[in-house]
Amino acid sequence: MRILILTGAGISAESGIATFRGADGLWEGHRPEDVATPQAFARDPALVQRFYNERRRKLQSPEIQPNAAHRSLAEFEAKHYAESRNDEFLLVTQNIDDLHQRAGSQNVLPMHGELLKIQCELCKEVIEWTNDLDPYQTHDSTSKDEDCPGRLRPNVVWFGEMPIGLSRIDRAARQADVFLTIGTSGLVYPAAGIVQSTPPNCQRVEINLDDTPVSMEFGEVIRGKASEEVPRFLRSLA
Ligand code: BJW
């Protein structure tokens, strides 16, 4: 059985990470569309870096830990797909936190990037990063041997930029026997459109607290908390 999973901010909400579009989801009154764009970074780099600095700091605080949903996905993969290849089990996440990896998931594709990495705008080198980033910090400031003058930015995918791994995701979707989506609003593309690439005989399951604009694409909709419904659903699959 080939299984493709897509997770969004809802799976990390119970770990204490705010969603984007929930009641607590606005950040200082800014919509994600106003902060998570290259235009916003060009216009107000201090604001955008502060947004990511705060989230990077919070992600590393001791109270932020994987929850039962993250853990059950990792356990399911370890138990049934430990030796598997060719993305028989693929966990695509839109989240930039590292909670799936910390829970022990192996085959994870973070399609919107990773908060604990930064990228040089000029040479595109990706660097692991746990500290704050200054608005105009340049690559050559990170080490005395480095002479690239490019500006550093969070290694994340903003609106208008190309998400990571799209052809791999499309291939996994076209071959999926089960497609499970967890805690995503179905508002942001191309992630919200992955379901449409799954074959007609694919078991399509949506776990979310609420209906989404793409709920009608799923044969099974499970309404409830990810921490309860994901372990329950995975037990039913096994
Ligand atoms: C719970 C829960 C609990 C809560 N249990 N559930 C049509 C086709 C293609 C593109 C477009 C299109 N129309 C428009 C576009 C362009 C644009 C787009 O989608 N815009 C929309 C606003 C309409 N897309 C892009 O620009 C993308 N790039 C692109 O399209 O490139 C060109 C291209 C063209 C054609 C094909 C392929 C490519 C890039 C999108 C990048 C998104 N970036 C962000 C920021 C990342 C960095 C960061 O984190 O800061 O990604 S925006 C933000 O939204 C973030 C998220 O990953 C993403 C999705 O949010 P998510 O995860 O769904 O969170 P929420 O808060 O919205 O929802 C949480 C859900 O959880 C809710 O439903 C709750 O009910 C639920 N929930 N608690 C279960 N306990």
Side-chain angles (χ1 to χ4, degrees), residues 121-238:
E121 287 188 310
L122 195 60
C123 72
K124 310 295 179 200
E125 187 186 343
V126 172
I127 307 164
E128 298 204 357
W129 196 262
T130 52
N131 301 323
D132 281 2
L133 201 53
D134 294 336
Y136 295 99
Q137 195 164 340
T138 52
H139 196 174
D140 50 15
S141 74
T142 59
S143 111
K144 63 179 186 320
D145 299 327
E146 185 55 66
D147 59 6
C148 176
R151 186 168 57 157
L152 296 167
R153 56 164 280 181
N155 186 44
V156 301
V157 178
W158 286 324
F159 286 108
E161 297 181 326
M162 195 58 87
I164 295 159
L166 288 184
S167 53
R168 186 174 162 203
I169 295 170
D170 189 58
R171 200 163 45 244
R174 288 183 189 289
Q175 299 177 345
D177 299 304
V178 178
F179 176 59
L180 170 62
T181 179
I182 305 162
T184 176
S185 57
L187 290 167
V188 174
Y189 283 81
I194 293 172
V195 62
Q196 286 155 2
S197 300
T198 60
N201 59 349
C202 177
Q203 181 185 0
R204 303 186 193 93
V205 185
E206 178 186 66
I207 296 178
N208 199 304
L209 289 178
D210 296 317
D211 284 341
T212 73
V214 293
S215 293
M216 80 294 267
E217 306 276 354
F218 293 83
E220 233 171 295
V221 287
I222 299 172
R223 295 286 160 259
K225 290 181 176 178
S227 65
E228 293 167 5
E229 300 304 333
V230 175
R232 203 195 319 270
F233 175 74
L234 293 175
R235 275 195 303 273
S236 78
L237 263 190

Side-chain angles (χ1 to χ4, degrees), residues 8-26:
I11 197 168
S12 296
E14 292 168 71
S15 294
I17 298 181
T19 62
F20 290 91
R21 297 169 183 85
D24 62 342
L26 290 179

Side-chain angles (χ1 to χ4, degrees), residues 31-105:
R31 298 179 312 143
E33 293 80 355
D34 297 335
V35 194
T37 68
Q39 293 77 11
F41 188 48
R43 194 172 53 241
D44 194 345
L47 173 83
V48 175
Q49 292 288 20
R50 196 151 50 87
F51 178 55
Y52 287 96
N53 286 342
E54 285 180 12
R55 290 169 66 195
R56 196 181 294 109
R57 256 183 263 143
K58 176 147 196 200
L59 180 59
Q60 297 175 89
S61 64
E63 71 269 18
I64 303 292
Q65 296 295 337
N67 64 52
H70 299 102
R71 288 196 302 271
S72 65
L73 286 166
E75 284 158 16
F76 183 84
E77 181 186 10
K79 189 164 176 199
H80 302 286
Y81 293 90
E83 302 297 321
S84 80
R85 296 198 186 140
N86 303 323
D87 291 340
E88 241 185 300
F89 176 100
L90 179 61
L91 173 47
V92 175
T93 185
Q94 297 170 84
N95 300 339
I96 62 171
D97 65 52
D98 61 350
L99 296 185
H100 285 303
Q101 292 90 336
R102 274 202 247 163
S105 285

